[in-house]
Amino acid sequence: MTRFGRVLKLDFFEGRKAMMWGALCMVLLYLFFFWFAHEIGFHDSRFDYEQNPETRMMMRVSAICEAVGVFSVMAMYIFFLISASTLYRGEQKKQQRIAWLMLPASNMEKFLSRWIYLLVFSIVGGFLPFFVADLIHMAYLTMTDYPVQSAADDFFKIFPHTRTFPSGEYTGDNPLSVTSQYTALIAIHAFFLLGGVFFRKFHFIATSAVVVIAFACIVATANMLGYRDTPVAQDEVTRQIIFWIIANSGLIALFTWLAYWLFCRWQVVTHKFANV
C-alpha cells in the first residue's frame, strides 16, 4: 500500500465512529421531520374540500413528503457545512496536533486524504440517511394503511435542476443559472472548510458569523449603489450569470488554496482562537 493509501486508511479508521454517529443522528433528524409533518399535515384543513377520503389522504401524504423534502435538503446542506468546518476539530488539541504533524506523509497527502474523508462522510452521514428514513416512513405508511409514497422525488426537486424536453426546451432554471447556484453552494462549502482550518474553537459558529457579516456588507453595498433597482436586459442577465459562475469558481479555488496554504503552516503552539 502506498503512503497516501495508509494516510487515507488512518483517516477512515479514526473517523469511523464519527461517521456512524453522524449517520444515526441524521436518520433521527429526518424521521423527526416526518413525524412533525404528520402531526401538522393530518390536522391541516386545506384538503377538506375533497370529498373522496382516499384522494384526500393521498393529498395529505403528498404534502407531508413535499415539506419533508424541503427541510431535509436544508438540514443536509447545514450538515455538509458543519462537517467541513469541524474537519480538523480533533487536531486542535496539542497531543493530536503533534501526532498529526509528525505523521510520515506530505502535507498534500494529509490534506487530500482528509478531503476525501469529508466527501465520503458527507455522503454517508448526510445524504444516504435520508433514504433510510424515507424507507422507514414508507414502512410506517404501509403498516398504518396510509397511501404509500416516497419523499425521494420531493427531496431531489429542491436541488437546482433543469428539465430538458425532446424539443430542446427546458423548464425551471436554465443550465447557466443551475451552474451558478451549484458553484455558489460549493464556494460557501469551501469557505467553511477554510474556517475549519483557520479557527481553533467554535468553528461552525465563527465561520457562519463571518459569512453573515460578509453577505450583509455585500447586500448593503448593492443597495447603496442601486443595483437591485436597476432594470437589466436579458442579455445582461446572461452575462451576469456567466460572471458569477467564473467568480464562484475562482472563490472555490481561492478558499481551497488558502485552506491548504494555512494547513501547511500549522504549528504546535498557535493563537488561542486561530491557527496563526
Side-chain angles (χ1 to χ4, degrees):
M1 182 181 294
T2 63
R3 186 174 61 182
F4 174 74
R6 294 189 181 95
V7 176
L8 189 62
K9 182 179 178 180
L10 177 65
D11 279 333
F12 277 93
F13 177 78
E14 293 183 343
R16 67 191 188 285
K17 290 184 179 180
M19 190 177 297
M20 290 187 293
W21 277 110
L24 177 60
C25 290
M26 290 304 292
V27 168
L28 295 177
L29 179 61
Y30 293 141
L31 288 176
F32 170 78
F33 289 157
F34 278 113
W35 171 82
F36 187 77
H38 271 275
E39 290 295 310
I40 301 298
F42 282 104
H43 296 88
D44 192 348
S45 60
R46 287 183 301 164
F47 309 113
D48 289 346
Y49 68 88
E50 177 59 48
Q51 299 299 321
N52 189 327
E54 294 183 359
T55 304
R56 185 167 61 248
M57 188 63 66
M58 177 65 73
M59 294 170 66
R60 286 178 172 168
V61 172
S62 298
I64 288 171
C65 292
E66 183 178 355
V68 170
V70 173
F71 286 104
S72 295
V73 170
M74 295 172 58
M76 182 189 67
Y77 189 67
I78 293 174
F79 176 83
F80 288 172
L81 298 182
I82 294 176
S83 301
S85 61
T86 58
L87 185 61
Y88 294 97
R89 183 178 56 183
E91 282 71 31
Q92 305 310 323
K93 297 180 181 180
K94 185 176 180 180
Q95 295 299 326
Q96 285 87 336
R97 178 172 296 220
I98 293 174
W100 180 252
L101 293 175
M102 294 182 63
L103 195 66
S106 66
N107 288 325
M108 176 60 74
E109 290 172 331
K110 296 176 186 178
F111 187 82
L112 183 59
S113 173
R114 191 61 63 90
W115 187 88
I116 294 175
Y117 169 80
L118 172 63
L119 178 62
V120 176
F121 179 81
S122 299
I123 295 174
V124 175
F127 181 73
L128 295 181
F130 173 81
F131 301 99
V132 176
D134 189 33
L135 289 174
I136 295 175
H137 176 246
M138 292 172 64
Y140 167 78
L141 294 176
T142 302
M143 292 185 293
T144 52
D145 295 327
Y146 289 137
V148 179
Q149 181 175 336
S150 172
D153 288 340
D154 298 287
F155 179 76
F156 285 113
K157 285 178 183 177
I158 308 303
F159 290 87
H161 67 286
T162 297
R163 298 177 186 174
T164 303
F165 294 100
S167 61
E169 299 178 353
Y170 57 81
T171 182
D173 296 329
N174 62 62
L176 285 177
S177 179
V178 171
T179 304
S180 176
Q181 294 176 62
Y182 275 116
T183 54
L185 292 174
I186 296 173
I188 296 173
H189 185 270
F191 185 78
F192 273 80
L193 175 62
L194 172 60
V197 177
F198 179 77
F199 293 109
R200 291 197 64 186
K201 297 181 178 180
F202 312 111
H203 311 83
F204 179 72
I205 296 175
T207 309
S208 299
V210 174
V211 171
V212 170
I213 294 173
F215 272 109
C217 293
I218 293 173
V219 172
T221 303
N223 290 334
M224 290 176 58
L225 297 176
Y227 176 78
R228 298 180 61 182
D229 299 328
T230 304
V232 181
Q234 184 62 39
D235 293 342
E236 183 64 24
V237 170
T238 301
R239 284 194 291 268
Q240 288 183 3
I241 292 176
I242 294 175
F243 166 79
W244 282 114
I245 291 175
I246 297 173
N248 291 331
S249 301
L251 289 176
I252 294 170
L254 175 63
F255 294 150
T256 304
W257 177 82
L258 286 175
Y260 174 70
W261 178 84
L262 184 61
F263 171 77
C264 292
R265 283 153 182 78
W266 270 13
Q267 303 293 328
V268 175
V269 179
T270 61
H271 191 270
K272 184 176 181 181
F273 295 104
N275 292 304
V276 291

